Amino acid sequence: MLEITPLLEERSGTSLYIQLYEYLKDEIKSGNIPAETRLPSIRKLSTYLNLSKNTVEKAYDQLVSEGYLESRPRSGIYVLELEKEVIALKPKPVLQPQSKKKKPEIKYDFRFGNIDTGHFPFSTWRKLTNQCLYPDQKELFSYGDHQGEYELRKEIKEYLYYSRGVVCVPEQIIIGAGIQQSLSLLFQIMQFFNQTVAVEDPGYDGAKSIFMNHGCTIDPIPLDSEGINIESLYQSQAKVVYVTPSHQFPYGMIMPYNKRVQLLRWAEENNALIIEDDYDSEFRYAGKPIPSLQGLGKTNKVIYLGTFSKSLIPSLRISYMVLPTFLMEKYEQHFQSYQQPVSRIHQKTLHSFMKEGYWERHIRKMRTTYQKKQHTLISVIRERFKNNVEIIGNGAGLHILLRVYTNHTEEELLDIAERNKVKVYPISKFWTRKNVSGFPIIQIGFGGLSEKEILKGIKILERAWFG
Ligand SMILES: Cc1ncc(COP(=O)(O)O)c(C=O)c1O
């Protein structure tokens, strides 16, 4: 039913029907109840507001006689269109409605966040979700463990150990609703407000805004060919650094073993902490696997974060955070009353998915799928663009960067692409300092497109930029 929530006062000295009449008149005049809205019947509104039918009827009658409402036989009571002068009195809403501007038509969207939904195991996921919806599972309908379902944490612990060398127990894992929510919780646990956080420059903007929204100052640390520059980090006053060593975001380099050791040494020597965001570590296509910083460190210096957004689907909103024991103690002391934000039904489904072996199969399949897509992408870029571009960061993940040797600016390149129904993305927003890379660099995500679409999209892009 239409939201009609007047504040009616029995003892105000004004009769209830007048109060209701005035409320409805104001709502109609202000446009909150627009023309052609069908009002609830007298019976429904009187039951809903706990008023007599007579009171509602009198209010409606008054509005009909003044031309605000019309009673249409066998249809209902409707709000009439008002004269312009009355509408002009309508106050401007504080929040403007979202722009309905027509978006340009896009045929090939190389968005980094898009994943391959065609290979999502729909029937398995549906079957496992359905299993949660039987009466014998109704325990899942109530609040769960605030840290996340224990059985799921056990599966994640196993997976992290054999795939990333992460050493932990399930008691150290907190399930979150995405990396940003996990980071936000982490900063509250650390009581890390109004301090300095060192970040890779360029780096993940989504993390930087979390840090800034906790009052922190960002200290941008430049990259070298292997990731964050350790010498520059030593010059920073920061006691926390946020890094993406498996596949630096957005440049894509994989941090080699030696640099990982240096980074861990920096943390030891400076009594600092490392936040390791392993957001797409499942998709590595070349070289030997390098254990996570958390696994290499064997110290209390690393907070490890991961997500199911790239490996499964982003709308699942499930991430995880492995805390060192001293932070776990703080969490236990101060966060007992915080509820777990992720649905127990999704958690249970994911737990079954992992336990019954589907996860491993899915990851293997997706790795091959994405590797093929990446291969196609790189081949067609090399074939078409030749020396007009340089490909950056192709060892892992779901995106690459293109340094484009052109006189166009980044904005112009995006604009030309869009006019040709191809969408590619800027990386300028990932820089904290000014982009010092010279030629424009464009981000190309390939997860969400088929190989055929990749081929077509890149050919169009080359023609549009250089044809
Ligand atoms: C570095 C990095 N971390 C985390 C995320 C997002 O993770 P989630 O979907 O769990 O919030 C992204 C997404 O683009 C990312 O680039």
Side-chain angles (χ1 to χ4, degrees):
M1 188 164 73
L2 178 71
E3 275 296 302
I4 294 184
T5 49
L7 197 62
L8 305 179
E9 292 199 40
E10 300 245 11
R11 280 187 234 119
S12 72
T14 309
S15 68
L16 288 173
Y17 102 82
I18 294 282
Q19 291 185 53
L20 179 60
Y21 150 79
E22 280 182 342
Y23 168 81
L24 288 171
K25 190 169 75 173
D26 287 348
E27 290 294 283
I28 293 168
K29 277 166 76 175
S30 66
N32 286 341
I33 305 181
E36 287 309 309
T37 302
R38 187 172 155 214
L39 290 187
S41 69
I42 294 169
R43 185 183 52 78
K44 271 199 184 140
L45 190 59
S46 61
T47 311
Y48 178 64
L49 297 177
N50 200 14
L51 295 171
S52 74
K53 279 193 204 148
N54 194 31
T55 305
V56 176
E57 193 171 4
K58 274 167 81 179
Y60 275 6
D61 282 350
Q62 186 67 33
L63 290 162
V64 169
S65 67
E66 291 181 16
Y68 290 100
L69 301 182
E70 179 181 63
S71 176
R72 296 180 190 162
R74 289 184 302 284
S75 181
I77 298 161
Y78 287 83
V79 175
L80 289 178
E81 190 83 53
L82 296 187
E83 296 298 323
K84 292 255 176 339
E85 308 83 77
V86 182
I87 297 260
L89 297 176
K90 181 181 169 182
K92 273 213 156 98
V94 180
L95 294 176
Q96 296 300 324
Q98 283 187 350
S99 156
K100 296 223 172 70
K101 212 173 109 194
K102 207 164 163 263
K103 292 202 175 116
E105 191 202 336
I106 297 297
K107 263 179 110 172
Y108 305 102
D109 188 352
F110 286 90
R111 189 178 162 184
F112 157 65
N114 290 353
I115 49 128
D116 184 318
T117 46
H119 286 86
F120 182 75
F122 287 97
S123 59
T124 306
W125 194 264
R126 196 163 47 237
K127 178 185 80 181
L128 298 176
T129 304
N130 272 343
Q131 285 171 4
C132 301
L133 301 175
Y134 283 93
D136 64 345
Q137 294 293 312
K138 64 179 185 292
E139 141 77 6
L140 289 175
F141 289 15
S142 53
Y143 292 100
D145 188 319
H146 70 145
Q147 237 175 288
E149 297 297 294
Y150 188 78
E151 295 298 319
L152 173 61
R153 286 188 275 134
K154 253 169 71 177
E155 289 300 323
I156 291 175
K157 177 226 148 211
E158 284 299 315
Y159 164 68
L160 289 181
Y161 180 69
Y162 72 73
S163 70
R164 305 293 307 117
V166 169
V167 184
C168 69
V169 289
E171 284 74 8
Q172 278 172 270
I173 299 178
I174 303 176
I175 303 294
I179 295 259
Q180 286 184 312
Q181 192 269 331
S182 292
L183 283 173
S184 193
L185 178 64
L186 172 66
F187 270 46
Q188 291 168 47
I189 298 170
M190 295 197 299
Q191 291 279 298
F192 205 79
F193 308 116
N194 307 316
Q195 298 186 53
T196 304
V197 186
V199 298
E200 299 161 321
D201 195 29
Y204 178 41
D205 55 336
K208 282 188 274 187
S209 40
I210 296 288
F211 307 148
M212 289 191 286
N213 287 336
H214 284 82
C216 291
T217 306
I218 300 294
D219 189 1
I221 310 292
L223 304 177
D224 54 38
S225 61
E226 300 183 329
I228 195 161
N229 183 277
I230 304 287
E231 274 171 32
S232 308
L233 188 57
Y234 269 97
Q235 279 149 36
S236 170
Q237 300 301 311
K239 291 288 177 204
V240 167
V241 65
Y242 165 84
V243 285
T244 48
S246 278
H247 188 224
Q248 199 279 332
F249 189 88
Y251 261 66
M253 63 279 273
I254 300 170
M255 189 184 284
Y257 174 81
N258 283 345
K259 196 185 243 335
R260 289 178 193 235
V261 173
Q262 289 167 17
L263 185 56
L264 288 163
R265 195 177 306 132
W266 166 84
E268 279 296 335
E269 289 173 5
N270 288 277
N271 195 21
L273 289 172
I274 301 169
I275 303 172
E276 175 175 22
D277 180 351
D278 231 5
Y279 67 106
D280 69 357
S281 61
E282 286 81 12
F283 305 121
R284 182 183 46 77
Y285 313 122
K288 279 205 255 86
I290 306 174
S292 64
L293 287 161
Q294 199 274 6
L296 286 174
K298 299 196 174 62
T299 66
N300 257 352
K301 297 289 180 210
V302 184
I303 296 118
Y304 181 88
L305 292 154
T307 177
F308 289 96
S309 289
K310 312 293 169 213
S311 48
L312 268 171
I313 40 173
S315 65
L316 198 56
R317 305 316 298 144
I318 304 188
S319 58
Y320 43 88
M321 168 162 75
V322 182
L323 289 184
T325 45
F326 81 97
L327 284 177
M328 210 52 229
E329 282 161 17
K330 287 193 180 182
Y331 174 77
E332 276 166 6
Q333 267 171 26
H334 302 293
F335 290 80
Q336 283 299 330
S337 64
Y338 277 43
Q339 291 297 343
Q340 168 54 228
V342 179
S343 152
R344 287 187 81 186
I345 295 170
H346 282 342
Q347 288 188 68
K348 174 67 185 161
T349 306
L350 180 56
H351 160 238
S352 308
F353 191 75
M354 295 180 91
K355 190 175 164 63
E356 293 174 28
Y358 297 113
W359 162 251
E360 242 188 275
R361 252 173 280 157
H362 177 68
I363 288 298
R364 243 182 285 131
K365 184 174 72 187
M366 293 319 293
R367 195 175 290 133
T368 315
T369 304
Y370 287 136
Q371 185 165 18
K372 275 197 199 148
K373 288 189 185 194
Q374 202 216 41
H375 178 76
T376 302
L377 174 69
I378 289 174
S379 310
V380 68
I381 289 174
R382 289 202 174 123
E383 179 199 313
R384 291 279 157 164
F385 282 93
K386 305 215 159 60
N387 292 329
N388 286 328
V389 297
E390 179 194 349
I391 297 167
I392 306 173
N394 58 354
L398 300 175
H399 75 276
I400 57 160
L401 300 185
L402 274 192
R403 179 177 277 124
V404 188
Y405 298 120
T406 173
N407 292 329
H408 288 300
T409 62
E410 177 188 87
E411 212 183 323
E412 285 166 351
L413 289 177
L414 302 184
D415 197 49
I416 298 169
E418 204 164 297
R419 277 191 266 126
N420 285 275
K421 300 190 172 49
V422 178
K423 193 144 174 74
V424 289
Y425 290 82
I427 71 151
S428 49
K429 66 175 180 171
F430 302 130
W431 288 86
T432 306
R433 295 200 177 111
K434 205 173 142 33
N435 179 352
V436 289
S437 62
F439 287 100
I441 299 182
I442 304 292
Q443 188 182 35
I444 311 258
F446 55 84
L449 295 174
S450 67
E451 286 179 69
K452 224 168 155 181
E453 288 168 326
I454 291 173
L455 286 170
K456 283 191 176 159
I458 293 296
K459 285 178 188 169
I460 295 173
L461 199 62
E462 193 275 332
R463 248 180 279 130
W465 285 349
F466 292 98

